[in-house]
Amino acid sequence: MGLDDALFGLHGKALELRSQRLNLLASNIANASTPGYKARDIDFEAALKDATDKGDSATQAANAAMGYRIPLQPALDGNTVELSTEQTLFAENAVKYQTTLSFLESRINTITRALKGE
Amino acid sequence: MANTPMNIFDIAGRAMSAQLVRLNATASNMANAGTLTGTEKQAYRAIRPIFQSVTEQPGISTVKVQSVVTTDAKPVKRYDPNHPLADKDGNVFEAAVDSSTELVDMIEASRMYQNNVQVLQTAKSLMLDTVRMGK
């Protein structure tokens, strides 16, 4: 358990994973019109569990929990990106990133206040 | 670019460039729709970009334009002997461009472009929030 784990609990790892997933969903949106592209996503819960329990790095945990999206309606050109799904998940992920950020921020504020002794 | 890992700005930025190429191709096609020539060979044929995904590590991929190809659609032959460009049989050839296909393609390209801009904006504000953390 590193110093950052002791300070931030699981939120540090959670933020890293959220950032990884943000990249992944951005890749899906970027490839929305590429023939044959298969959309991927991370099972966030499983990845966070791996990262906190086993002490894996965020990249390792994200790769282990990665899977292909099952499309509702597969396109003829083999592309499995459905923009409505990807955009919803992207927005959700962004909000959750911000939530994790505010957890971290309040933690930092608590520690700073304790250090200053106000 | 090879020594620094691809980030979200590369992903969305390169996708935007690819969509812009597509938009330019559509504009060229639309501009040439309806033009007439005297021979079938000279007639304009619609051009279309071929997209290909560029993957650096699993799940992190962007898109590039692999090549721009000329479609093999046939120009429309029309009998118009009074046209100054008409060949010896009195035929002119109209550019092989389907304007409705092009318009649909244009709308799709611009929507995709907008989506990528949106991704960039979200990523930017999240990163700025992260930088300001604890201040």
Side-chain angles (χ1 to χ4, degrees):
Chain A
M1 202 170 179
L3 180 66
D4 55 333
D5 285 348
L7 262 181
F8 298 128
L10 55 75
H11 296 306
K13 281 268 164 54
L15 194 75
E16 275 186 73
L17 279 171
R18 284 284 172 216
S19 156
Q20 291 257 338
R21 189 159 180 236
L22 204 73
N23 278 327
L24 203 75
L25 294 172
S27 303
N28 288 347
I29 294 175
N31 280 287
S33 48
T34 315
Y37 179 83
K38 306 288 178 220
R40 307 179 95 175
D41 199 0
I42 298 171
D43 181 350
F44 188 81
E45 219 177 302
L48 189 61
K49 206 166 161 18
D50 265 13
T52 47
D53 290 359
K54 288 197 235 155
D56 287 356
S57 77
T59 320
Q60 271 178 323
N63 283 345
M66 205 180 284
Y68 288 100
R69 173 116 46 239
I70 298 163
L72 294 168
Q73 267 186 325
L76 266 180
D77 62 0
N79 186 304
T80 61
V81 179
E82 273 154 357
L83 268 179
S84 49
T85 317
E86 301 304 332
Q87 278 178 312
T88 321
L89 289 174
F90 186 85
E92 187 193 340
N93 195 58
V95 170
K96 288 187 172 167
Y97 184 99
Q98 224 145 23
T99 313
T100 305
L101 214 55
S102 59
F103 282 137
L104 285 171
E105 202 152 348
S106 55
R107 184 83 187 125
I108 291 171
N109 284 340
T110 312
I111 303 284
T112 328
R113 205 177 295 167
L115 285 173
K116 281 186 186 158
E118 280 166 4
Chain B
M1 277 296 201
N3 41 8
T4 54
M6 194 156 32
N7 63 25
I8 197 162
F9 296 101
D10 296 323
I11 296 171
R14 285 167 73 174
M16 278 160 69
S17 316
Q19 296 298 342
L20 209 61
V21 171
R22 187 179 174 193
L23 212 58
N24 278 329
T26 313
S28 311
N29 292 343
M30 286 302 288
N32 283 286
T35 49
L36 296 171
T37 46
T39 61
E40 189 169 352
K41 240 184 155 164
Q42 278 179 342
Y44 181 88
R45 285 166 169 83
I47 53 171
R48 220 165 284 291
I50 306 290
F51 284 180
Q52 189 187 29
S53 61
V54 183
T55 307
E56 197 173 77
Q57 41 174 300
I60 310 295
S61 46
T62 183
V63 61
K64 71 165 182 183
V65 177
Q66 182 202 52
S67 59
V68 180
V69 298
T70 308
T71 55
D72 49 8
K74 271 197 113 49
V76 185
K77 186 165 86 172
R78 210 170 60 213
Y79 183 66
D80 189 359
N82 293 325
H83 198 279
L85 286 175
D87 62 6
K88 59 176 171 24
D89 301 320
N91 292 320
V92 284
F93 296 88
E94 198 178 325
V97 175
D98 182 4
S99 13
S100 32
T101 312
E102 297 307 328
L103 279 173
V104 170
D105 220 49
M106 184 193 81
I107 294 169
E108 203 192 315
S110 72
R111 289 275 193 279
M112 298 283 177
Y113 190 92
Q114 282 170 352
N115 284 333
N116 282 301
V117 172
Q118 206 59 249
V119 166
L120 270 190
Q121 268 168 359
T122 310
K124 190 191 85 179
S125 62
L126 284 180
M127 271 179 197
L128 288 177
D129 285 350
T130 315
V131 169
R132 280 195 289 266
M133 182 167 58
K135 277 183 194 161

